[in-house]
Amino acid sequence: MVNHKRLVFLLVLGVVGMFGMSYMMVPLYQLICKREGINGGAARSVAKVDNAMTVDYSRTIKVDFITSLNGDLRFKFTPLQSRITIHPGERKLIYFYAENQTNKDITVQAIPSITPTEAARFLKKTECFCFTQQYFFKGQKAEMPVYFFIEPEIARDIKEVVLSYTLFDASAYAKQ
């Protein structure tokens, strides 16, 4: 009987530990992304943006924009331009179109991803709809901006970058 009490204690401890770890996954992920500059995580530290940054006109980088929807989210979500070219150091403003095709009000959140991963720390978003949750009324349409640049220090062999966004239903996590 003593062994059963110990086994139950260890199982309960394991369940509590797994719950705690799953609860901490998002903050840990965000912390690591911000620290390492992955998935645009370091882009929020815009205070250090150098307004006198020199543009490297000797080369161009193609930037593709891709969107996807998580699960069965009934939204139209597309970039207004699917591809642009940019000089390192040059600032660009592009827009994404979103339309709530559900029959209810909804809160969504866009999660960015940048490939190749070596380019992620050089692509800096100074304004992005992905920084905050977006509230949409039933049937609402919106054009959402992304203002960004690629730092001139990016490796010369990187000629193409993909910035993709996945749109999630964040209604259950909506900030009050």
Side-chain angles (χ1 to χ4, degrees), residues 139-157:
Q140 182 179 353
K141 303 170 186 175
E143 289 184 4
M144 303 181 299
V146 177
Y147 192 54
F148 74 100
F149 62 94
I150 297 175
E151 292 181 332
E153 295 79 23
I154 192 167
R156 287 196 159 278
D157 62 336

Side-chain angles (χ1 to χ4, degrees), residues 50 63 66 109 123 131 152:
D50 180 12
V63 182
I66 300 172
Q109 176 78 49
L123 191 146
F131 291 163

Side-chain angles (χ1 to χ4, degrees), residues 3-140:
N3 287 339
H4 292 295
K5 287 183 181 178
R6 181 174 181 198
L7 178 62
V8 169
F9 175 75
L10 290 174
L11 289 173
V12 169
L13 187 64
V15 168
V16 169
M18 286 188 285
F19 175 77
M21 186 61 182
S22 65
Y23 181 78
M24 292 302 297
M25 287 299 285
V26 171
L28 286 173
Y29 175 78
Q30 290 173 338
L31 180 68
I32 291 169
C33 286
K34 185 175 182 180
R35 178 144 167 64
E36 298 299 320
I38 302 169
N39 285 341
R44 292 187 188 179
S45 58
V46 179
K48 295 190 253 177
V49 172
D50 180 12
N51 287 329
M53 182 175 10
T54 58
V55 177
D56 183 356
Y57 291 106
S58 69
R59 58 189 175 135
T60 58
I61 297 174
K62 293 177 189 168
V63 182
D64 291 317
F65 303 102
I66 300 172
T67 58
S68 62
L69 301 172
N70 179 260
D72 59 351
L73 182 62
R74 291 185 49 226
F75 246 76
K76 183 174 184 181
F77 181 50
T78 58
L80 292 183
Q81 294 177 274
S82 59
R83 173 180 272 189
I84 64 165
T85 57
I86 187 171
H87 298 287
E90 178 182 16
R91 287 164 171 65
K92 287 283 187 169
L93 175 64
I94 56 118
Y95 288 90
F96 287 76
Y97 175 82
E99 179 180 343
N100 180 358
Q101 296 179 332
T102 68
N103 58 359
K104 61 182 180 178
D105 298 349
I106 190 170
T107 301
V108 293
Q109 176 78 49
I111 305 299
S113 179
I114 301 167
T115 53
T117 54
E118 301 83 29
R121 64 188 190 125
F122 297 101
L123 191 146
K124 304 295 183 186
K125 296 183 291 281
T126 56
E127 181 182 336
C128 183
F129 61 90
C130 64
F131 291 163
T132 58
Q133 295 175 345
Q134 305 295 318
Y135 184 80
F136 281 82
F137 293 106
K138 177 174 98 173
Q140 182 179 353

